[in-house]
Amino acid sequence: MGTSHRSGFLKKTNDGGRLIITTFIGVLIGYFVGRSFQSVSFSKIHLPTSISTSFDIAGKEENINQISESPFSNGSSPRIYVSTNPRGAELLPPGIVVSESDFFLRRLWGEPSEDLKKKPKYLLTITVGLNQKKNIDRMVKKFSEDFQIMLFHYDGQTSQWDEFEWSKSAIHVSIRRQTKWWYAKRFLHPDVVAAYEYIFIWDEDLGVEHFNGDKYMELVKKHGLDISQPGLEPNNGLTWQMTKRRGDQEVHKVTEEKPGWCSDPHLPPCAAFVEIMAPVFSREAWRCVWHMIQNDLVHGWGLDFALRRCVEPAHEKIGVVDSQWIIHQVIPSLGSQFPC
């Protein structure tokens, strides 16, 4: 009996010793692991943008917005730069990021600072076919050197325009059988046209005998219009009262329509409304409108009623310039060349 009691006591003592030793070793290992973990810089971990912009990975030790001398830390792991960089440029130092562009023509040789004697302030785009060449020439001559000219050729013919001197400095984009909204969505991204204060997106069948581009811009700025169009000759292709030219005003922003057509006097088609044959957008308004244009938009019908969503208050920022007016000739040139 005595021997059995002593062996049981020794067994319990040995088990307790093992437990103490195991616990001590575990604490010791945890201590060294913790010490080594503190030396790891989490800023070296490359995370997706959606995560890196939401958390301050390095805490007080190193902020995510801190700029490093190199995109690599210790020659290995890529480092995330500023979270405000454009998507896709997160690894670049902000000082070399160029997120916007323009259509300014450059020489092949020489100093870039000598390329442009004068930078155009506005962009005039017209979707054209060769049959309307003479009318386009008349239109372009109504605009000064402050306007960059850009032609979208829906018939694929571009070299025939070289007879005009202005065509040699114009931007030509040739893709067959497309409408101006298709071109605008693909070639007039807001970051590409950011250098221009206003963007004209015009049809080719406009009579401009009573129009001057510089005077038009003076009135647009004077009356604070972010979205506008020239007034339309009342007897030629008129659709809406809002876009009808008024002979006694410089600009108008509201009108009266047929009974029941306007649920609110500040909403289209009684206000905050222009048509789609000759709209003019400020740089800020176009950034919004571009995002609203759908990729499968063809003729743009209905877009005129939605433009008001891009400016506030729309009934004050959208208007028709009466004293610089045009004639809509209503020539279905694109449709006649490429029948369905």
Side-chain angles (χ1 to χ4, degrees):
M1 291 294 292
T3 303
S4 175
H5 177 73
R6 284 194 301 272
S7 63
F9 174 79
L10 290 174
K11 182 177 182 181
K12 291 180 180 179
T13 300
N14 292 337
D15 289 342
R18 291 194 194 97
L19 179 60
I20 293 172
I21 293 173
T22 301
T23 302
F24 177 77
I25 293 174
V27 171
L28 192 62
I29 292 174
Y31 172 79
F32 284 110
V33 170
R35 291 283 295 177
S36 62
F37 211 70
Q38 289 179 358
S39 65
V40 177
S41 175
F42 281 92
S43 61
K44 297 178 183 178
I45 301 177
H46 178 52
L47 298 176
T49 307
S50 58
I51 299 177
S52 66
T53 56
S54 301
F55 297 94
D56 184 3
I57 302 174
K60 296 181 180 179
E61 179 179 304
E62 184 175 356
N63 190 282
I64 191 70
N65 291 335
Q66 183 177 354
I67 301 174
S68 173
E69 295 179 357
S70 168
F72 297 93
S73 177
N74 297 329
S76 54
S77 302
R79 179 188 299 277
I80 299 175
Y81 281 100
V82 284
S83 58
T84 54
N85 276 4
R87 186 177 65 177
E90 294 86 356
L91 299 181
L92 296 176
I96 68 169
V97 173
V98 180
S99 60
E100 298 176 345
S101 189
D102 54 60
F103 293 119
F104 302 152
L105 299 179
R106 303 290 182 178
R107 297 178 301 166
L108 296 181
W109 315 104
E111 293 293 330
S113 59
E114 300 176 358
D115 285 350
L116 301 170
K117 296 181 180 179
K118 183 178 182 179
K119 290 184 178 180
K121 296 190 294 184
Y122 317 115
L123 178 65
L124 169 65
T125 72
I126 313 174
T127 302
V128 304
L130 193 61
N131 288 348
Q132 293 297 314
K133 182 172 63 172
K134 292 183 179 179
N135 191 57
I136 299 303
D137 182 48
R138 287 190 291 267
M139 290 174 63
V140 170
K141 289 178 178 177
K142 291 290 185 174
F143 296 86
S144 69
E145 293 181 353
D146 282 333
F147 293 81
Q148 172 70 62
I149 309 302
M150 185 174 191
L151 300 185
F152 298 124
H153 298 269
Y154 59 73
D155 59 0
Q157 302 184 67
T158 58
S159 59
Q160 295 86 340
W161 295 80
D162 289 345
E163 66 178 271
F164 304 121
E165 188 64 28
W166 56 261
S167 177
K168 298 175 183 178
S169 58
I171 306 299
H172 296 266
V173 176
S174 178
I175 300 177
R176 294 170 60 87
R177 200 176 180 179
Q178 298 301 321
T179 66
K180 68 178 182 181
W181 300 112
W182 187 92
Y183 296 112
K185 185 65 174 180
R186 288 150 183 84
F187 296 100
L188 301 181
H189 186 281
D191 288 343
V192 174
V193 299
Y196 307 100
E197 297 177 24
Y198 289 84
I199 299 96
F200 291 59
I201 303 181
W202 279 21
D203 289 352
E204 63 180 340
D205 57 343
L206 304 177
V208 292
E209 180 181 352
H210 307 282
F211 180 86
N212 177 278
D214 289 332
K215 293 180 179 179
Y216 183 89
M217 290 312 310
E218 290 177 6
L219 293 170
V220 163
K221 295 178 180 180
K222 175 182 177 180
H223 293 274
L225 300 179
D226 280 326
I227 301 178
S228 64
Q229 74 161 78
L232 294 177
E233 166 59 41
N235 300 320
N236 291 77
L238 183 66
T239 304
W240 302 100
Q241 289 295 320
M242 178 64 187
T243 53
K244 178 180 178 180
R245 179 180 69 90
R246 299 180 183 178
D248 59 344
Q249 299 184 36
E250 286 185 339
V251 167
H252 73 270
K253 301 178 182 180
V254 296
T255 193
E256 292 184 3
E257 266 290 355
K258 297 177 181 179
W261 279 32
C262 298
S263 59
D264 186 312
H266 288 166
L267 293 179
C270 287
F273 179 78
V274 297
E275 296 190 65
I276 59 174
M277 83 283 292
V280 180
F281 304 95
S282 70
R283 178 167 43 210
E284 294 76 15
W286 177 244
R287 182 169 292 276
C288 172
V289 172
W290 184 89
H291 284 90
M292 185 168 60
I293 296 173
Q294 304 299 298
N295 285 323
D296 58 358
L297 183 68
V298 179
H299 299 291
W301 297 325
L303 182 62
D304 42 10
F305 277 78
L307 294 177
R308 64 183 180 87
R309 297 181 178 275
C310 286
V311 291
E312 291 184 347
H315 65 279
E316 296 181 5
K317 297 291 186 178
I318 300 178
V320 175
V321 178
D322 297 294
S323 60
Q324 296 297 315
W325 50 283
I326 60 176
I327 297 174
H328 190 201
Q329 299 168 345
V330 195
I331 300 175
S333 49
L334 174 59
S336 64
Q337 289 193 30
F338 303 102
C340 296

